[in-house]
Amino acid sequence: MKSNFEATKKEKVYCPKCNKQVYLLSAKDIKDTPKFYICFDCKYIGQVGVGKVEVTNN
């Protein structure tokens, strides 16, 4: 299955919670969509330029 998103490890960006390197998640084909930093170590998700994203389960 083809993904419309890509996760790129950022060399100089670190998680504000655990200080590990984060990945930048962004859409491949759509230019002006929100981008997110994801830390797979502590499960932190932050929107670039905005801050922490609250994750809820419905």
Side-chain angles (χ1 to χ4, degrees), residues 29-45:
D29 301 330
I30 305 169
K31 196 163 94 173
D32 295 328
T33 59
K35 293 175 177 50
F36 298 92
Y37 287 126
I38 298 176
C39 178
F40 290 109
D41 290 302
C42 74
K43 311 297 186 239
Y44 174 83
I45 300 172

Side-chain angles (χ1 to χ4, degrees), residues 14-35:
Y14 297 91
C15 176
K17 290 180 74 177
C18 71
N19 208 31
K20 303 275 180 143
Q21 285 183 323
V22 297
Y23 286 78
L24 177 66
L25 180 70
S26 58
K28 288 182 181 178
D29 301 330
I30 305 169
K31 196 163 94 173
D32 295 328
T33 59
K35 293 175 177 50

